[in-house]
Amino acid sequence: MQKMARNENVPQIGSEHEYRGIRYPNVVLDSSIDRIKTFQVREDDIWVVTYPKSGTHWMMEIVGLILSDGDPDQINRSLYSSPAEMICTDQDFPTSKEEEKLHPLDMSPFLDVIEKAPSPRVIVSHLNFDLLPQDLLKAKVVYVARNPKDVILSYFNFIGKNPALPLTLDKAIKNLVSGEMHWGPWPEHVRRFWDHRDHDNVNFVFYEDLKKEPAKYIQKIASGIGRPLLEDVLRRVVKFSHIDAQKETFKKMAESGKENLVKGAGEYSFINKGISGRWKTHFTVAQNEAFDEWYKNKMTDTDLKFAFE
Ligand code: A3P
């Protein structure tokens, strides 16, 4: 992967900034966000789009397995190191501000790598529909949506591991409700993609459905991206995308030094419990009631309904 020279003036992981009214971690480059709008989409691209903590890495694995006949060792992970709008995150994350200053990351827009990659490209993004390429829907798009209470808890557990970004559950809830969570307001994100759910190239999938009936929804996704699966391949995709098997795959990659391709096994792992309804054991009654009140106001005028269990 191409790397640029170290540069003391570039933004660092562990800090965040606002761009056009939306907060992003500094690994997201404003210039990449601007460039994505006019990015050359290919008809055989597969775009995995999610609001953060909604099952992005799970869907990347599922799509990778679909394209590789259910064999995790054959997945082409070259475009998997990060969402398109980020820098290449194939370095170790710094653990403190001091370390960030001592070892600034090599900054390279990941988009540069994606632009040149051969087809079929699997491209990942957390950007909302309006920031993505104008002709996005000429490609196949898989959008994963997850109930926002579990999104909050997942975000809280994930960010909470980073000492540079202290976070309480109260603050995590407030961030989503106020639209200050990274990548912007959750309701608009899910609702804009829901508007396009009937488009031939869009596969709108709920995390909770995928958990309950993986075979059914994996086959639906495979058919949606033009790769319907034979029974035995489907069985392998279900098997290897199960959270326990995926943890094993990521552990093996970490042991062989390839962990950075997905950043899946270490301290900042994107795989944690993978349970639906886990928020129930963490939200207080007061937090839950306040959240429900906000949710009711934001989501009454839509037929987009989430399972919270
Ligand atoms: P939890 O934190 O609730 O466990 P993202 O990849 O968008 O950051 O999402 C992370 C969430 O997806 C985490 O949720 C993680 O455990 C869950 N996840 C990752 N792989 C999974 C899998 N194979 N099955 C179910 N959930 C998975």
Side-chain angles (χ1 to χ4, degrees):
M1 202 170 278
Q2 169 210 332
K3 284 188 187 174
M4 281 157 67
R6 287 190 188 281
N7 177 353
E8 293 284 346
N9 299 318
V10 293
Q12 302 301 306
I13 282 176
S15 46
E16 54 178 9
H17 69 287
E18 192 174 310
Y19 184 57
R20 297 190 175 176
I22 294 182
R23 300 202 71 73
Y24 299 97
N26 281 347
V27 284
V28 174
L29 301 186
D30 300 347
S31 56
S32 293
I33 295 175
D34 289 341
R35 262 171 67 195
I36 280 186
K37 201 69 210 154
T38 53
F39 181 83
Q40 295 288 305
V41 176
R42 299 181 200 154
E43 282 180 15
D44 55 6
D45 282 342
I46 300 165
W47 287 67
V48 172
V49 187
T50 63
Y51 192 76
K53 312 321 292 173
S54 301
T56 325
H57 292 75
W58 188 15
M59 189 50 66
M60 285 154 69
E61 198 70 4
I62 289 172
V63 170
L65 285 164
I66 291 171
L67 298 181
S68 65
D69 274 347
D71 182 349
D73 295 333
Q74 296 304 315
I75 296 179
N76 174 1
R77 298 178 189 273
S78 58
L79 302 189
Y80 275 28
S81 77
S82 66
E85 58 272 17
M86 281 189 181
I87 57 163
C88 289
T89 52
D90 61 343
Q91 299 90 1
D92 287 332
F93 283 54
T95 54
S96 66
K97 290 263 179 231
E98 289 65 35
E99 198 183 328
E100 280 178 23
K101 285 191 191 117
L102 279 174
H103 303 290
L105 295 167
D106 298 336
M107 294 276 155
S108 170
F110 193 39
L111 216 46
D112 288 349
V113 179
I114 296 172
E115 263 169 356
K116 294 181 207 116
S119 293
R121 302 178 298 189
V122 181
I123 303 172
V124 181
S125 180
H126 290 315
L127 292 177
N128 70 47
F129 186 82
D130 297 318
L131 293 175
L132 286 165
Q134 262 137 19
D135 54 354
L136 174 73
L137 299 188
K138 82 181 196 198
K140 305 290 185 199
V141 179
V142 184
Y143 185 85
V144 191
R146 187 181 195 187
N147 86 69
K149 293 180 189 175
D150 281 330
V151 166
I152 290 169
L153 186 66
S154 184
Y155 164 74
F156 168 65
N157 286 330
F158 179 68
I159 297 285
K161 287 179 192 154
N162 186 341
L165 298 174
L167 187 68
T168 60
L169 183 57
D170 248 343
K171 180 79 170 72
I173 296 172
K174 183 178 161 281
N175 281 359
L176 187 129
V177 164
S178 63
E180 284 170 67
M181 196 170 143
H182 293 162
W183 280 275
W186 176 87
E188 285 79 350
H189 207 289
V190 290
R191 291 181 62 152
R192 287 294 284 128
F193 272 93
W194 183 245
D195 290 343
H196 296 282
R197 67 191 177 282
D198 293 329
H199 191 287
D200 281 350
N201 285 344
V202 175
N203 233 304
F204 190 106
V205 193
F206 291 99
Y207 179 101
E208 293 77 17
D209 285 344
L210 204 48
K211 271 301 286 187
K212 271 197 189 132
E213 295 178 277
K216 175 176 164 185
Y217 287 97
I218 287 171
Q219 186 63 280
K220 187 170 171 278
I221 293 157
S223 302
I225 61 175
R227 310 262 185 157
L229 301 173
L230 296 172
E231 242 348 275
D232 60 327
V233 181
L234 174 61
R235 259 198 303 275
R236 282 202 295 276
V237 177
V238 171
K239 177 178 167 191
F240 287 112
S241 61
H242 186 275
I243 191 158
D244 297 337
Q246 203 179 319
K247 272 183 188 165
E248 263 317 295
T249 304
F250 284 8
K251 201 169 125 220
K252 270 202 292 189
M253 283 197 298
E255 282 161 6
S256 64
K258 295 186 195 150
E259 184 198 353
N260 287 334
L261 286 173
V262 288
K263 207 75 203 162
E267 193 187 356
Y268 293 97
S269 173
F270 287 95
I271 307 190
N272 191 8
K273 302 280 186 218
I275 295 170
S276 294
R278 191 160 171 248
W279 62 270
K280 285 191 197 162
T281 50
H282 289 73
F283 278 45
T284 64
V285 172
Q287 283 171 334
N288 191 37
E289 283 176 1
F291 185 88
D292 284 348
E293 192 56 33
W294 169 83
Y295 185 85
K296 206 169 68 193
N297 288 331
K298 285 285 174 186
M299 303 293 281
T300 38
D301 56 337
T302 171
D303 55 356
L304 171 55
K305 303 286 175 221
F306 282 86
F308 285 87
E309 308 292 318

